Amino acid sequence: MTSMKMWYLLLLAAFLPIVPTVAEVVESVSKCDQFLLEAKPPQVPGILEGGKIGQTRYKLICQTYKNERKFLTLYDTENMIPVFSAYKYTGKQEGLKFNRPKKWMIEPQLENEDDPNKDMANDNGKTYKNQAVEKDYIDKDKKFNRGHIIPSSYGLTVSDKKSTFTLTNIVPQAISFNSGSWSSMEQCIKCIMDEYCKDNNAVTKAYVVTGAIPNPSTDPNTKLNKRVNIPDKLWSAFCCYDSKKKKWIASAHWGDNVPDKPERKYLPTITLQKLQEELKIVAFPETQCPLQTTVSEFYETQAKHCQCQ
């Protein structure tokens, strides 16, 4: 009887469809929607509307590191920067040691969709047609560095953190903006998510979408090394369910990609509705995320290291 059961299981397995465990440049958001709240992508006018991509220049990347899906990116191959990256935040590990990788990575399938390598690959010093490489960011005349879209600090594991060091998750960002008000915002929202984004099983879970608004000018000075667009603005939004308060919470931020001024230490916390009005970005369409409220009411109780306003 046991041998017959085993034979049946083997026969069944032979005819079941093989589900790939890797990801790559994909044609549909549905191929990598586990990083989106309720599997619904942001609405970006003229680029991604109703889950459909408007132009072939924009490519969906199911960002994969060591054969494991990490986050989703919509990439602009002409401006060579992300439109946005989306990530499912699942908390932190106390005492986790992490050293920044010495090498940055690229997405092989942006150059050749038939490339069998579906993982991120190390930047090998070549110049690619459809994406930025590390040497594009070596520009002594411009005060910009490699600004993460999904920050490495949001990664749960060392592998998660390393996966953010792909140049398809990077934009040229004003140095003091990157290390100043933008960094403070990321840290503050991380603290909020750690404390308030708990589901009914007390498991940390939140959804983050962060993106860039490119500079529309054709002036060569708006690009690093005449290749990589220096975005005008960066924006970010998060949403989660707070099981203690029995409600959904959300907030958004955006900032001009210019050096921080001493008096502008914090970015204003805005509603999802305000993000839509000002930048036309619908971060979490058709979900339960509140449009008219923010999480700024929680800032006063946060520890100093959280850097909340």
Side-chain angles (χ1 to χ4, degrees):
M1 192 69 176
T2 303
S3 60
M4 284 294 292
K5 184 178 180 180
M6 182 64 71
W7 177 86
Y8 172 76
L9 291 173
L10 290 172
L11 182 65
L12 181 64
F15 287 94
L16 285 174
I18 298 174
V19 180
T21 58
V22 296
E24 67 275 12
V25 176
V26 295
E27 295 182 358
S28 171
V29 175
S30 64
K31 300 291 185 180
C32 196
D33 59 13
Q34 65 266 44
F35 305 107
L36 302 168
L37 178 58
E38 297 180 12
K40 295 176 180 177
Q43 300 273 19
V44 186
I47 298 176
L48 181 63
E49 298 178 286
K52 297 181 179 180
I53 299 175
Q55 303 175 51
T56 57
R57 64 187 280 183
Y58 302 106
K59 302 294 183 183
L60 284 163
I61 306 172
C62 196
Q63 300 277 17
T64 307
Y65 181 70
K66 292 188 176 180
N67 205 31
E68 185 178 355
R69 294 177 176 182
K70 298 297 186 179
F71 58 99
L72 173 67
T73 297
L74 180 61
Y75 192 77
D76 182 346
T77 59
E78 291 188 15
N79 284 323
M80 297 187 180
I81 58 172
V83 177
F84 68 79
S85 288
Y87 183 67
K88 182 179 177 181
Y89 182 79
T90 55
K92 62 181 180 179
Q93 293 188 57
E94 299 293 345
L96 185 67
K97 294 182 179 180
F98 172 68
N99 296 318
R100 292 172 62 97
K102 294 181 179 180
K103 292 185 178 181
W104 289 80
M105 294 177 286
I106 54 92
E107 174 53 56
Q109 290 195 345
L110 282 179
E111 305 305 317
N112 177 13
E113 62 182 16
D114 297 322
D115 193 313
N117 183 13
K118 298 180 180 181
D119 274 10
M120 302 171 187
N122 285 335
D123 179 353
N124 57 15
K126 293 182 179 179
T127 297
Y128 294 106
K129 177 183 178 182
N130 296 322
Q131 62 189 304
V133 293
E134 188 169 1
K135 62 185 178 183
D136 288 325
Y137 283 81
I138 302 174
D139 191 329
K140 296 179 181 179
D141 297 327
K142 295 185 173 66
K143 307 300 182 181
F144 299 90
N145 60 8
R146 288 162 291 209
H148 279 71
I149 295 299
I150 296 300
S152 63
S153 61
Y154 284 14
L156 176 64
T157 67
V158 169
S159 177
D160 293 338
K161 293 176 182 296
K162 285 185 176 180
S163 73
T164 66
F165 286 81
T166 172
L167 292 162
T168 52
N169 182 50
I170 297 296
V171 299
Q173 189 172 3
I175 295 174
S176 61
F177 176 41
N178 188 8
S179 61
S181 59
W182 190 258
S183 176
S184 296
M185 178 275 295
E186 291 175 333
Q187 179 60 35
C188 176
I189 294 303
K190 184 177 185 297
C191 286
I192 296 295
M193 292 189 295
D194 284 331
E195 182 172 352
Y196 295 98
C197 294
K198 308 284 187 181
D199 65 15
N200 290 323
N201 296 315
V203 175
T204 301
K205 182 170 65 175
Y207 291 87
V208 180
V209 184
T210 302
I213 306 295
N215 190 314
S217 174
T218 58
D219 187 334
N221 290 323
T222 62
K223 294 184 176 182
L224 283 184
N225 283 309
K226 300 180 180 179
R227 277 174 43 91
V228 184
N229 187 285
I230 300 171
D232 273 349
K233 299 174 175 64
L234 271 68
W235 59 270
S236 186
F238 92 98
C239 181
C240 73
Y241 181 69
D242 181 350
S243 60
K244 289 184 179 180
K245 296 182 179 295
K246 305 297 182 184
K247 66 177 183 178
W248 288 82
I249 60 174
S251 280
H253 298 81
W254 73 266
D256 293 322
N257 189 21
V258 296
D260 268 2
K261 296 179 181 179
E263 65 271 19
R264 203 192 83 182
K265 187 176 180 180
Y266 299 98
L267 294 176
T269 302
I270 61 174
T271 64
L272 297 182
Q273 182 66 42
K274 192 71 171 177
L275 181 69
Q276 182 175 349
E277 292 172 356
E278 295 188 352
L279 299 185
K280 313 305 179 186
I281 302 294
V282 184
F284 304 103
E286 301 176 2
T287 65
Q288 299 180 70
C289 299
L291 298 179
Q292 304 294 346
T293 59
T294 73
V295 297
S296 58
E297 63 183 288
F298 304 139
Y299 290 175
E300 288 186 2
T301 61
Q302 297 304 303
K304 186 175 181 180
H305 78 271
C306 292
Q307 302 180 55
C308 292
Q309 186 172 353

